[in-house]
Amino acid sequence: MPARAGRSRRAGGLVLGLSTAYLTLIVLIPIAAVVASSFEGGLSAFWDEVTSPSAVAALELTFVASLLVVLVNAVTGTLIAWVLVRDDFRGKSVVNAIIDLPFALPTVVAGLTLLAVYGPKSPLGVDVAYSRAAIVVALLFVTLPFVVRAVQPVLLELDREMEEAAASLGSRPVTTFRRIILPNLLPAILSGAALSFGKAVGEFGSVVLISGNIPFDTEVASVHIFKSIEGDNPAGAAAVSVVLLVLSFAVLAVADVLERRSRRHDA
Amino acid sequence: MSIAVRQVTKRFANGFVAVDNVSLAIASGSLTALLGPSGSGKSTLLRVIAGLETPDEGDVSILGEDVTGVPPQKRGVGFVFQHYAAFKHLTVRDNIAFGLVIRKRPKAEVRARVDELLGLVQLDGFADRYPAQLSGGQRQRMALARALAVEPKVLLLDEPFGALDARVRKELRAWLRRLHDQVHVTTVLVTHDQEEAMDVADRVTVMNDGRIEQSGKPRDLYEHPANEFVMSFVGPVNRLGEAWIRPHDLELRLEPNGTTSEAMVERIVHLGFEVRVELVLDDGRLVSAQVTRSEVEELELLEGQILYVRPSRTTVFSGTAMPQGRP
Amino acid sequence: MRSASGSRYTLRTMALGYLALLLVLPCSMIVYYTFKDGLGPVWEALTDPAFVSALRLTLIAVGIAVPANTIFGVMCAMALVRRPPKHGTWLINSMIGLPLALSPVVVGLALILVYGQNGWFGGWLTENGIEIIFSTPGIVLATIFVTLPFVVREVIPVLREVGTDQDEAAWTLGASRAQTFWRITLPAIRWGVAYGVVLTTARALGEYGAVAVVSGRLAGKTETLTLHVDEAYLRLDEVAAYTTSLVLALLAVLTLVAMNVFKPRTHKEVADVDRSPPGHEALR
């Protein structure tokens, strides 16, 4: 950066100052309030809230369902990205565009529509409403774009000559995929998976209608927090929130590292 | 003096000293080249003159006025960037008019001035195009017209032809020379290409490692280089022990005499009128000689042939020799 | 190569089948359920005062959150790219990233803990008769929080690619910093900003969890469109729920169209951009 005269440096400082003040007011102070509130009764109170049977059940369910969803996404997301990049058919651009639909569609609308297809009045005869399977379906819906959109650009940039070289060396297509393509896609798949895990762990809107929110059965962490707030137990809500907060930070850090690594792979 | 730089030092945040205590005077109406390898500080020095970098020490004056603390907006310099810095969202006309519009000149005057400049840079008929619709050479001519529009006191060109292919670069070089003879604005050109510097400029300043190695007319630099760096940077050179010999100063003979050494022709490279003869001396050292085509025909040179060579002119630098040098 | 094209069709069928079951079928059900009983009930749902008030509140939230985060986003991106602070960049970056990864319910809770009756500023706010939680300001704050990252994150890479050459050229031509920003920098990053604005708008229209926590859900007063969907569904007014959903879904489709208009342009802009001279890069 070129250094400049004093007046402009002050103007630059003002821009940075205003941005930081905005971030502090909108994000930092509220987050700090959550952390502070969770430890209001001391460390043991925090621990008691986090390890209360209903909190443990909710966190466990959230964690396991999210992991399952991430695994499915890693496979289906890569598959969809593959078809969008390497295949060609009529209407491909429309399919490509609707991948972002789960991002654009409000989560509560997603929940309602899934309930219409996979609920009691299912036209397919598949009724998973108010079960753990329903949670997985809802999470699959809202996390669909992440792996696809992470893998797609990497696959586009992937050097076709590498595959041709492998083929010329006698490698069968499956072997080429496993030993040549997959290792190159892996950082992108993992980074997309990390982001969908983050989204799944905190998801609320799409789950709340379809899961039935039965404690110890289909109550996910964010619904647990919501009920604690409604039940006037902000300290309990804050304690579980801190667990989600830590997970969010971890996810951000992992995604950041993976993204950097996949970029290094490109170079 | 049009531009005077006095004892300027510029350090970057990482501690790298890009310009190290440099003083330089540039005469009014001249076209001066700052020549040096990448990282030699020549672009940074140009940016200091433009006010795009603030020097840590030293001062800069333009037309006798100290401008060290003056922002680039008020220095009255025209600056042309290697990658054109075209305003992509504006047409060629609006690009060239930008400085005049900023100065709130009357519309009719702006229009007339832009039309005049479009003619000067041979872009009439391109006024309503966007930069993306121009070739690299056209974009750079537009950038020059844009810089000239505000009638700058000095024109600063930062590797202006560096992004262009070899043929366009040569054309633009000749065009710039003619333009300068027409406009006569004091011009400083940064380049890493010694041929470009020698071709275009009245004076050349050679920089290396943030310091000035030598300033002078192109011919003086070539004939009387101040040190080994300049010797090796301004043209091809052979080094034999302490002696530096230009390839065209190496005489080739078929017969030995007392002062010649034996050499074998390794390769003959025809470059058109000139021919480069690559030779291996009997002690295994490699040298190259530059001769004309007719000389090659006269000597009936063949690869593998044994010859006798003698330098007609050598340069030896005294003790202050610098370790580095480049072909 | 019969087997190769065979496996191609298998992969295509699997991918499209998955998308059909997960995306297309559910979304087409919105249309079916909305118009199941004809147009009459749909019209009724759209003219219901509760719907109109929800639409109004949503538009207010969008109308404040989008400009606020756009101005912040461009400013913050300029600061981070053009003059990165020596310390604390990681903190700024994680605060920018957090709203993307954090559960919206936690966002709602956080706002209650700061602005609620027993919150950090709660006492002072009550004394001065300012109501934030269970009221419009709370909904606006929640919307701003969850949509904060989009413009910044879109503008940063574009600004990086555009570089500083054009700005520097404008300065040497006499343009002040303000003139350079409005006439050169902003037009150069406009498609990136536009894309960020589209993402922000989509997220602001659709926010549910954070808003659900802070709204207090007074129908006709503190209900946004997404809360209205939920509320109508719970009182078994299916047509109202699906009609509102359809409105939101149509807005989502508009978003997709806008995304597909702007995204290629930001890429083109970036691809077409002159890189700054390698010589300078090496010096910095």
Side-chain angles (χ1 to χ4, degrees):
Chain A
M1 276 307 103
R4 291 150 201 146
R7 201 162 58 93
S8 71
R9 189 166 297 164
R10 280 201 297 281
L14 184 69
V15 169
L16 181 66
L18 282 173
S19 306
T20 317
Y22 185 86
L23 270 175
T24 306
L25 196 68
I26 300 289
V27 182
L28 192 61
I29 292 178
I31 294 304
V34 173
V35 178
S37 163
S38 71
F39 290 107
E40 221 156 52
L43 203 60
S44 66
F46 169 78
W47 192 245
D48 287 346
E49 288 291 353
V50 171
T51 54
S52 79
S54 63
V56 170
L59 285 169
E60 224 173 60
L61 171 66
T62 306
F63 204 74
V64 172
S66 301
L67 270 184
L68 187 64
V69 162
V70 165
L71 287 179
V72 175
N73 271 336
V75 177
T76 56
T78 310
L79 170 71
I80 292 166
W82 179 270
V83 169
L84 286 177
V85 172
R86 293 294 175 89
D87 203 351
D88 210 4
F89 49 90
R90 283 187 59 173
K92 192 172 99 166
S93 58
V94 176
V95 175
N96 185 34
I98 65 165
I99 297 294
D100 290 318
L101 194 60
F103 176 83
L105 197 70
T107 49
V108 69
V109 175
L112 192 67
T113 59
L114 289 171
L115 198 57
V117 179
Y118 302 106
K121 288 191 276 182
S122 168
L124 301 172
V126 185
D127 179 11
V128 293
Y130 319 129
S131 74
R132 291 182 169 191
I135 296 170
V136 172
V137 172
L139 295 182
L140 282 177
F141 183 97
V142 296
T143 58
L144 176 82
F146 291 104
V147 175
V148 182
R149 291 300 187 224
V151 172
Q152 221 176 348
V154 181
L155 203 50
L156 263 174
E157 298 271 306
L158 201 66
D159 194 355
R160 288 294 270 268
E161 284 178 10
M162 247 180 357
E163 289 159 59
E164 285 162 7
S168 75
L169 294 168
S171 157
R172 288 179 309 121
V174 177
T175 319
T176 306
F177 182 80
R178 193 166 52 85
R179 304 191 62 147
I180 307 291
I181 300 172
L182 202 56
N184 279 290
L185 296 185
L186 205 59
I189 296 175
L190 290 176
S191 131
L195 290 175
S196 44
F197 183 79
K199 174 84 178 157
V201 163
E203 183 52 23
F204 176 72
S206 63
V207 176
V208 75
L209 287 182
I210 202 171
S211 74
N213 312 320
I214 308 157
F216 297 101
D217 185 15
T218 61
E219 185 183 277
V220 296
S222 55
V223 174
H224 180 82
I225 297 170
F226 189 79
K227 284 186 175 174
S228 302
I229 300 169
E230 304 249 286
D232 212 14
N233 176 16
V240 179
S241 293
V242 167
V243 176
L244 293 191
L245 195 61
V246 170
L247 275 175
S248 301
F249 269 118
V251 163
L252 281 180
V254 169
D256 193 44
V257 169
L258 287 169
E259 202 180 319
R260 252 180 248 170
R261 185 165 306 169
S262 85
R263 235 182 283 148
R264 198 172 334 139
H265 232 95
D266 282 352
Chain B
M1 281 304 125
S2 186
I3 303 172
V5 172
R6 274 177 297 267
Q7 298 180 319
V8 160
T9 295
K10 174 68 192 173
R11 267 177 230 99
F12 284 104
N14 58 10
F16 180 77
V17 181
V19 177
D20 189 359
N21 194 20
V22 161
S23 297
L24 177 66
I26 289 165
S28 295
S30 69
L31 201 171
T32 302
L34 290 180
L35 173 66
S38 71
S40 61
K42 57 193 191 302
S43 282
T44 307
L45 181 59
L46 195 75
R47 292 168 60 82
V48 166
I49 295 171
L52 294 171
E53 307 280 358
T54 311
D56 297 296
E57 284 158 42
D59 53 75
V60 177
S61 56
I62 295 175
L63 297 185
E65 184 197 346
D66 186 346
V67 294
T68 315
V70 176
Q73 285 90 342
K74 294 182 182 140
R75 287 202 183 190
V77 299
F79 201 99
V80 172
F81 295 78
Q82 178 177 5
H83 294 269
Y84 331 123
F87 302 144
K88 289 194 184 53
H89 61 291
L90 300 179
T91 59
V92 171
R93 173 176 294 285
D94 290 341
N95 261 278
I96 298 175
F98 186 85
L100 300 169
V101 172
I102 290 292
R103 285 168 176 70
K104 300 203 165 67
R105 296 281 168 78
K107 276 209 174 103
E109 186 196 320
V110 171
R111 204 170 172 82
R113 177 87 178 120
V114 171
D115 283 335
E116 183 194 330
L117 282 159
L118 281 167
L120 188 69
V121 300
Q122 297 158 15
L123 282 176
D124 340 56
F126 291 88
D128 297 321
R129 295 218 192 167
Y130 284 89
Q133 297 165 300
L134 300 183
S135 71
Q138 290 170 333
R139 277 188 227 187
Q140 201 55 299
R141 294 207 302 264
M142 178 194 84
L144 251 162
R146 184 175 71 183
L148 289 172
V150 295
E151 287 167 355
K153 295 176 206 155
V154 297
L155 183 61
L156 308 173
L157 313 172
D158 188 3
E159 298 265 10
F161 313 132
L164 302 169
D165 65 48
R167 201 178 54 83
V168 180
R169 194 155 46 191
K170 279 202 169 157
E171 280 171 20
L172 273 191
R173 219 193 263 167
W175 174 81
L176 175 69
R177 184 66 243 183
R178 286 198 304 274
L179 183 78
H180 182 260
D181 294 340
Q182 245 175 300
V183 185
H184 270 303
V185 58
T186 310
T187 304
V188 184
L189 167 96
V190 159
T191 178
H192 64 271
D193 179 345
Q194 55 89 16
E195 197 189 311
E196 185 169 293
M198 305 293 227
D199 184 354
V200 174
D202 316 322
R203 290 184 73 82
V204 176
T205 293
V206 180
M207 287 189 73
N208 183 36
D209 272 344
R211 291 197 193 84
I212 290 179
E213 299 285 355
Q214 189 175 4
S215 289
K217 289 188 181 142
R219 187 173 167 171
D220 293 344
L221 254 55
Y222 192 81
E223 309 233 316
H224 308 291
N227 56 39
E228 300 178 359
F229 180 83
V230 177
M231 175 99 200
S232 61
F233 200 77
V234 297
V237 72
N238 293 301
R239 186 174 183 176
L240 291 174
E242 290 299 300
W244 298 72
I245 305 146
R246 295 270 182 223
H248 52 74
D249 290 333
L250 211 54
E251 274 176 38
L252 307 184
R253 291 160 172 271
L254 291 171
E255 301 296 328
N257 70 20
T259 56
T260 56
S261 355
E262 195 180 293
M264 188 191 73
V265 178
E266 197 182 48
R267 210 166 150 242
I268 302 172
V269 186
H270 293 268
L271 301 165
F273 173 71
E274 286 175 341
V275 177
R276 192 170 77 231
V277 185
E278 293 175 3
L279 301 149
V280 189
L281 297 180
D282 50 4
D283 58 6
R285 285 182 296 181
L286 301 169
V287 293
S288 72
Q290 205 164 7
V291 293
T292 62
R293 209 171 57 183
S294 52
E295 277 178 274
V296 173
E297 276 162 15
E298 227 167 85
L299 295 165
E300 293 173 359
L301 286 187
L302 290 170
E303 289 178 4
Q305 187 179 354
I306 301 296
L307 274 182
Y308 301 90
V309 300
R310 193 184 75 90
S312 59
R313 192 184 143 166
T314 62
T315 310
V316 176
F317 297 99
S318 52
T320 56
M322 313 241 320
Q324 72 268 54
R326 52 168 59 215
Chain C
M1 295 292 279
R2 196 193 55 84
S3 73
S5 73
S7 70
R8 197 159 70 117
Y9 286 119
T10 315
L11 291 177
R12 188 193 299 176
T13 312
M14 280 164 61
L16 294 183
Y18 182 78
L19 289 175
L21 287 176
L22 196 62
L23 275 187
V24 180
L25 185 60
C27 291
S28 50
M29 291 306 280
I30 307 178
V31 181
Y32 171 73
Y33 274 108
T34 304
F35 297 110
K36 201 174 52 155
D37 302 323
L39 286 173
V42 175
W43 181 248
E44 247 170 65
L46 287 176
T47 48
D48 178 4
F51 172 86
V52 175
S53 132
L55 179 65
R56 203 176 135 259
L57 185 56
T58 294
L59 291 180
I60 289 174
V62 170
I64 296 173
V66 173
N69 282 336
T70 304
I71 294 167
F72 158 77
V74 173
M75 273 178 35
C76 191
M78 288 284 283
L80 286 179
V81 173
R82 294 288 173 86
R83 275 160 214 274
K86 284 201 183 72
H87 308 285
T89 322
W90 66 271
L91 184 64
I92 295 179
N93 278 329
S94 31
M95 281 196 285
I96 290 171
L98 197 60
L100 288 179
L102 194 60
S103 174
V105 180
V106 177
V107 175
L109 172 69
L111 292 176
I112 287 187
L113 292 172
V114 176
Y115 302 106
Q117 252 184 356
N118 303 313
W120 283 0
F121 305 154
W124 185 86
L125 291 169
T126 319
E127 267 172 39
N128 290 278
I130 304 169
E131 203 181 14
I132 290 187
I133 301 301
F134 305 140
S135 164
T136 308
I139 289 167
V140 171
L141 274 176
T143 309
I144 290 179
F145 190 119
V146 296
T147 59
L148 180 131
F150 297 106
V151 174
V152 194
R153 288 174 68 103
E154 287 306 318
V155 171
I156 283 177
V158 180
L159 211 46
R160 238 180 226 142
E161 288 285 345
V162 167
T164 51
D165 273 14
Q166 292 186 47
D167 286 31
E168 291 181 344
W171 298 340
T172 61
L173 293 168
S176 69
R177 283 181 181 265
Q179 282 172 323
T180 305
F181 176 77
W182 292 109
R183 286 167 182 260
I184 304 297
T185 320
L186 200 56
I189 61 173
R190 65 195 187 280
W191 297 116
V193 176
Y195 189 67
V197 166
V198 169
L199 297 182
T200 310
T201 310
R203 191 75 166 77
L205 283 169
E207 180 45 32
Y208 171 72
V211 169
V213 174
V214 298
S215 117
R217 316 190 139 218
L218 304 168
K221 246 189 114 184
T222 60
E223 228 176 52
T224 61
L225 282 180
T226 51
L227 295 175
H228 185 65
V229 171
D230 183 28
E231 182 264 341
Y233 179 78
L234 292 179
R235 62 180 160 79
L236 302 177
D237 186 350
E238 273 199 357
V239 174
Y242 281 103
T243 304
T244 313
S245 292
L246 185 64
V247 170
L248 286 166
L250 289 177
L251 290 170
V253 169
L254 261 180
T255 308
L256 285 191
V257 173
M259 279 165 77
N260 280 285
V261 170
F262 293 140
K263 190 68 185 175
R265 295 210 188 196
T266 64
H267 275 294
K268 187 167 158 274
E269 188 172 89
V270 163
D272 194 40
V273 139
D274 304 331
R275 299 185 179 271
S276 51
H280 292 154
E281 224 65 274
L283 294 179
R284 279 169 204 166

